[in-house]
């Protein structure tokens, strides 16, 4: 931020996260909901950086800052040439499922089936990575068409919640075979339900999610099928 100020670059889009909301009491999540009571270190980093950006915008009115609070990115470019290639055992659900489907991993571990949800597994708001990219473009356009905006936070999500087992079923349709999985204990830091109210993004950025969960699973599998070992030759 100091270097940006030195060169008079005072517009920034920050990649924040829905984890800043912690374990909220109501759904869907809106930008005015409380933040800070987070459940994991990743969420803590996002809260700290958002606070730094808020303080900066308060102290210097010439800044324009948008924190895009991503929900759960999923999918890949439809060409199959750009996708998610995590190092080691994936932390995210989708690459774990596709690596099981392609034979790199034996089975999926589902962390907890005793949550207060219809099937007992966690519910999340998944957003296609192409929708996320278009959200970035919309945010940049908004920044360059407006001056001295200060700090603003905007949710990017599909406004729909899907459970872990619903995602597994959608991947099974995309892959054309069963995904072996086992139920394991709850994972520390996971909240039961999390999905967005994205009406602010629609109002300010003229953005809304276009791609379905079927599109996300299809494109994720297309990437993994074409790149069974990721980007490695």
């Amino acid at each position: 931020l100091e270097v940006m100020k030195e060169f008079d670059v005072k517009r920034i889009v920050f990649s924040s996260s829905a984890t800043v909301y912690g374990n909220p009491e109501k759904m869907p999540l809106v930008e005015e909901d409380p933040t800070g009571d987070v459940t994991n270190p990743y969420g803590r980093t996002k809260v700290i950086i958002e606070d730094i950006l808020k303080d900066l915008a308060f102290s210097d009115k010439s800044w324009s800052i948008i924190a895009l609070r991503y929900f759960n990115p999923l999918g890949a470019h439809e060409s199959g040439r750009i996708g998610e290639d995590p190092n080691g055992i994936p932390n995210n659900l989708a690459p774990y499922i596709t690596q099981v489907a392609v034979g790199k991993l034996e089975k999926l571990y589902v962390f907890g089936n005793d949550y207060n949800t219809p099937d007992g597994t966690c519910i999340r708001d998944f957003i296609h990575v192409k929708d996320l990219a278009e959200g970035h473009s919309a945010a940049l356009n908004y920044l360059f068409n407006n001056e001295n905006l200060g700090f603003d936070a905007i949710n990017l999500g599909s406004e729909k919640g899907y459970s872990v087992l619903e995602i597994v079923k959608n991947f099974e349709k995309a892959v054309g075979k069963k995904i072996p999985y086992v139920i394991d204990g709850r994972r520390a830091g996971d909240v039961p339900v999390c999905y967005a109210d994205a009406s602010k993004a629609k109002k300010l950025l003229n953005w809304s999610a276009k791609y379905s969960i079927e599109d996300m699973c299809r494109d994720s599998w297309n990437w993994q099928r074409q790149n069974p070992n990721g980007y490695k030759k």
Side-chain angles (χ1 to χ4, degrees):
L1 294 172
E2 289 171 352
V3 173
M4 288 177 67
K5 185 176 181 179
E6 179 185 347
F7 289 91
D8 197 33
V9 178
K10 293 186 175 181
R11 296 182 179 96
I12 182 170
V13 176
F14 172 59
S15 301
S16 192
S17 166
T19 55
V20 300
Y21 295 113
N23 190 1
E25 295 180 359
K26 68 176 183 66
M27 291 291 150
L29 289 161
V30 296
E31 289 84 355
E32 293 75 26
D33 284 336
T35 63
D37 189 17
V38 294
T39 61
N40 56 57
Y42 173 77
R44 177 66 57 199
T45 67
K46 298 299 186 183
V47 168
I48 291 169
I49 296 170
E50 278 200 14
D51 285 344
I52 291 170
L53 294 170
K54 288 175 189 174
D55 288 344
L56 174 64
F58 181 78
S59 66
D60 184 346
K61 307 301 182 186
S62 63
W63 281 80
S64 294
I65 301 166
I66 292 178
L68 293 178
R69 292 175 178 166
Y70 307 166
F71 280 67
N72 292 72
L74 201 159
H77 193 271
E78 70 269 18
S79 66
R81 297 184 66 189
I82 307 172
E84 187 174 5
D85 183 19
N87 293 322
I89 302 297
N91 285 320
N92 293 334
L93 179 62
Y96 206 122
I97 292 174
T98 58
Q99 287 192 20
V100 170
V102 85
K104 285 188 72 176
L105 296 172
E106 180 186 1
K107 57 193 173 186
L108 170 71
Y109 288 85
V110 176
F111 298 110
N113 68 341
D114 57 349
Y115 289 96
N116 186 23
T117 61
D119 64 18
T121 64
C122 291
I123 290 175
R124 294 290 182 270
D125 183 335
F126 292 90
I127 174 176
H128 199 293
V129 290
K130 287 193 67 177
D131 277 328
L132 197 60
E134 289 177 12
H136 271 265
S137 294
L140 286 169
N141 288 335
Y142 184 71
L143 286 180
F144 280 106
N145 286 314
N146 295 276
E147 296 285 342
N148 306 331
L149 290 171
F151 175 91
D152 210 353
I154 301 177
N155 290 338
L156 290 186
S158 68
E159 302 186 303
K160 299 174 184 174
Y162 295 93
S163 74
V164 173
L165 293 184
E166 284 178 317
I167 297 299
V168 171
K169 289 175 184 175
N170 275 282
F171 265 107
E172 288 177 341
K173 290 178 186 175
V175 173
K177 63 180 180 183
K178 289 287 185 182
I179 304 294
Y181 69 87
V182 294
I183 303 297
D184 206 347
R186 291 189 181 192
R187 187 170 56 178
D190 279 346
V191 301
V193 181
C194 183
Y195 61 93
D197 179 328
S199 55
K200 187 173 181 179
K202 188 170 186 178
K203 180 181 178 181
L204 293 185
L205 309 181
N206 194 30
W207 176 93
S208 59
K210 300 181 180 69
Y211 295 92
S212 68
I213 197 68
E214 291 82 7
D215 296 328
M216 298 180 221
C217 295
R218 179 201 64 217
D219 292 342
S220 290
W221 173 238
N222 186 38
W223 146 257
Q224 190 74 76
R225 183 175 53 81
Q226 292 190 47
N227 304 275
N229 297 308
Y231 287 112
K232 304 171 189 70
K233 295 292 184 183

